[in-house]
Amino acid sequence: MKYIEVRNARKHNLKNINVTIPKGQLTVVTGVSGSGKSTFAFDILYEEGRNRYLQSIGFFGQTNQEDNFDEIKGLSPTISVEQRIIRQSNPRSVVGTRTYISQLLGQLFSLEGQMTCSRCDTTLDYNLYCEKCGIQESRLTPPYFSFNTGLGMCLDCRGRGYSFELIKDKIIPNKNRNVLEICKGLGFFGKSLVSQLSNFANITKIDLTQPFCRLSDEAKQFIYYGMHDVFEGLLPCIQRRMSSTDRARSVGETQFCSRITCATCMGFRIGEEARSVTINDKHVGHLGNMSIRELKAFFSDTIQSGQVSANGKAIINLIVRRLDLLIDLGLSHLSINRSLPSLSGGEIQRLFLMYHIESSFDSLTYIFDEPTSGLHEIEKELIIHKLRGIQQAGNTVIVVEHDPMVIKAADYVLELGPHAGEKGGEVVFQGSVEDMLQATKSITGKYLSKQYDLPRKEENQYRRVTDITPKLTLKNVSVHNLKNLTVNIPLGLLIGVTGVSGSGKSSLISDTMVPLLKQRFKKPTDINDDENDSEGCSELISCELEGYGELKGCIAVTQSPIGRHKTSIPASYIGIWDKIRLVFASQPLAADRGYGPGHFSFNSSDGQCETCKGEGIVQLIGEVTRECSECKGRRYKTEILEVKYEDNNIFDILNSSITDAAKIFKNDRSIVHMLHTLERVGMGYLKLGQPTPSLSGGEAQRVKLAKELGHIRKSNMLYVLDEPTTGLGSSDISKLMLLVEDLTQKGNTVIVIEHDPEFLSFCDWIIELGPGGGDKGGYVIAQGSPRDLMNNTESIISKYLKL
């Protein structure tokens, strides 16, 4: 068959749609957020392609998958690359392990590494014989060259390359506070100290009501390190608390510690035995810290030197092949020891794309989820070229995407909509790009043809920066690849921070400015605060921060997951789930039966279905599941579902969209306020009970933004949004632009780390980093108003800006 034909697809909000997709071509599936794109591409096409393959090898797929459509013809086995799958949180997962380069290096050093005698340190011959001692050594196995194994890691730092040291300035950032205020400010970590202060003051006669900075040096030492049987001391108390649980240790490391390079392995992460084995005078730790570009040059020199055997050359050729792919994708600035959680969105997308580019499969269906998200305009053409390569190898490539450049490059476009949620799920258009531009019902076509336009500012609507404009100043910033920068960030404006991937945007804002500001505005430490998990806060930041006195707080809204467990849902994250369960517990039938709020939780044995434990599905094998036969996917016991509010049971509420739920709870102000806020950020289509791990990065960020906007705050706040247009079509970007403009008009500062030229053109001020990524970046190459940048020959984004 020449086409994939889908008849009457009807899962979630899809309304029995009929779709025809040409095989062997590049097809883009687009539409507003919540229109049904991901449901069609991943829940219908990918799931069915996977199920057919599993059935062909003797496994049974989802038994209820056929209920989602009448017929699918011409579908080949599918491979999926979704945003929610590639998000990483494990710092031990690095570029090298993901690309298999680390494993190949282990094999290479095990086979070819130059070893020394363990007794006299003499270099051994090829047969590992020591002529001086007369002993025969054995080669180390590959696990010895990995910091992720017990054999290979440095035992002192457990393969991290660094340790944590308590820093006095982080424990007491404000030395104008007295000791009682300091101990209370430590929250969980200083709770036991508060009760010791009275006795401590009586014995030492130290006036603890005085600011800490006015105390004598001896008194400060007592407070830091304690007095035997009288006062435990800040440092010993924090260390004890950190050793109590893994969570406390993680938060303590973030709040009160700085990283210091491991003195044993010097930051190379590997053990002494592996450090003694070299190739071309470098051990595997040296190679792990080289950039991809430097590593390729190293192997070129190694082969030319004639130091490796034919088998060693074969392994090196495999490594270089992977290095070349990384270089082709613009990732030459990375090192193989770079942790995946530290990569930008664009970098990690390209890293995972590389895995599929390298494959030699044909006749498959590849489905990609916004592969250009997080990429600069000049980088997108490269990704389109790589997608074309997969398609030209004989595969069908389907891309869920909003980006105009990708849409225009497609052979075929499927647009779903016209709106989100219940008002979406229809085929608005399918056909060529040229025909879409003329289609009367296509919203995407109208934006591409400029019949519709995003919000624009008149020249006099841009906020000007003058000598008297308050500024937040970062001095001498050298985090990651930043080159000792000093940057002035004007306050009270909408500010865009841009630059190619790896240029230093996140290093400047997310890894430097945000942690420093959060320290200044830090509330009492709470070990239950998931936002304390920021890895960047743990790193020693030695730059200076000035001008923050103009601000009253900092809110960073990232794309990190808002819940890693499959039972986490938006209703609980935004704080209304407990209120909803109280509403149900107050209904007459619930009161008669003695039901409390816990009976309406699918996580509680009181209310959950006993067969599926409140999940609604039963796992068969791997990711393959089927609907629970007992509750029919409704998660609760039958008697719990008999309790209703406004003719809806608790499962109906979970299955309701934000917009529908706002109508149901219209008389409960504490619930409906947050729901209306979610609607403002374009999330009205989202279901209250949707598992939060299934949200895209852009959706997770907008839910976080809504949660923050739902709180009543004063002006002079600083909001930081990390690539907020990710996953948004033009109509949703329009809403977001107006929302952040409204925040700014209320006296706040909004900083967006962004690539979208339309959004950047709407900003009052732009800071552009570059000119390249990695060691070729780390400089401010241009800053000013959008018009200033358009007249700046050093600016890379300038030719894409639109005024």
Side-chain angles (χ1 to χ4, degrees), residues 185-472:
L186 296 176
F188 165 82
F189 294 91
K191 189 175 181 180
S192 61
L193 295 176
V194 176
S195 62
Q196 302 172 25
L197 288 177
S198 178
N199 189 40
F200 176 54
N202 290 334
I203 292 175
T204 61
K205 306 303 180 185
I206 297 172
D207 184 1
L208 298 182
T209 64
Q210 288 287 317
F212 181 83
C213 60
R214 296 183 184 177
L215 298 179
S216 67
D217 290 342
E218 181 184 34
K220 290 176 182 177
Q221 288 295 100
F222 283 145
I223 292 165
Y224 276 127
Y225 299 104
M227 175 182 284
H228 184 63
D229 292 335
V230 177
F231 184 69
E232 184 176 9
L234 298 179
L235 274 70
C237 183
I238 291 173
Q239 288 174 327
R240 177 174 58 80
R241 287 291 199 176
M242 286 174 60
S243 65
S244 62
T245 66
D246 289 341
R247 178 65 185 156
R249 188 197 71 251
S250 175
V251 174
E253 288 172 349
T254 298
Q255 293 281 350
F256 309 118
C257 299
S258 287
R259 294 182 186 180
I260 57 172
T261 301
C262 175
T264 301
C265 68
M266 302 303 293
F268 289 116
R269 309 176 74 167
I270 55 172
E272 182 179 1
E273 290 175 291
R275 296 197 303 274
S276 68
V277 181
T278 62
I279 292 178
N280 201 5
D281 298 325
K282 302 289 184 183
H283 59 62
V284 71
H286 288 126
L287 272 56
N289 289 344
M290 290 180 182
S291 69
I292 300 297
R293 188 187 305 109
E294 293 170 337
L295 191 55
K296 181 181 178 182
F298 168 82
F299 281 123
S300 177
D301 292 342
T302 300
I303 289 179
Q304 291 179 10
S305 69
Q307 296 183 32
V308 293
S309 66
N311 289 333
K313 286 182 181 178
I315 296 175
I316 289 176
N317 287 335
L318 288 174
I319 294 172
V320 171
R321 179 182 173 186
R322 285 168 167 78
L323 296 177
D324 283 337
L325 284 170
L326 291 169
I327 292 170
D328 286 345
L329 287 170
L331 298 174
S332 61
H333 59 280
L334 299 180
S335 69
I336 63 169
N337 278 358
R338 179 78 175 268
S339 69
L340 296 191
S342 72
L343 299 183
S344 69
E347 289 168 335
I348 199 168
Q349 284 274 8
R350 284 177 285 166
L351 182 65
F352 277 73
L353 182 61
M354 169 214 150
Y355 181 78
H356 297 284
I357 291 171
E358 187 189 25
S359 73
S360 56
F361 293 127
D362 63 16
S363 303
L364 297 179
T365 298
Y366 283 88
I367 305 177
F368 291 96
D369 187 10
E370 301 179 36
T372 63
S373 68
L375 296 186
H376 194 280
E377 293 298 294
I378 64 172
E379 299 168 311
K380 291 176 182 176
E381 292 182 4
L382 176 64
I383 298 301
I384 294 171
H385 175 72
K386 295 301 181 184
L387 292 172
R388 276 289 179 200
I390 297 174
Q391 173 252 322
Q392 290 170 357
N395 300 292
T396 300
V397 177
I398 299 173
V399 181
V400 177
E401 187 61 89
H402 295 284
D403 187 83
M405 189 181 295
V406 181
I407 296 172
K408 291 177 181 178
D411 301 312
Y412 194 83
V413 180
L414 167 65
E415 183 178 357
L416 299 179
H419 303 294
E422 295 301 320
K423 296 181 179 179
E426 300 176 11
V427 175
V428 174
F429 173 82
Q430 53 184 326
S432 68
V433 176
E434 292 76 14
D435 289 341
M436 183 181 67
L437 297 177
Q438 307 300 322
T440 57
K441 294 183 179 180
S442 172
I443 297 174
T444 303
K446 285 182 168 60
Y447 275 103
L448 290 179
S449 63
K450 298 303 179 184
Q451 295 179 56
Y452 292 169
D453 207 353
L454 291 170
R456 303 283 181 195
K457 286 181 180 177
E458 299 295 333
E459 185 66 23
N460 61 359
Q461 292 178 310
Y462 286 93
R463 298 171 187 83
R464 303 297 180 186
V465 177
T466 66
D467 292 340
I468 62 172
T469 302
K471 297 177 180 66
L472 184 70

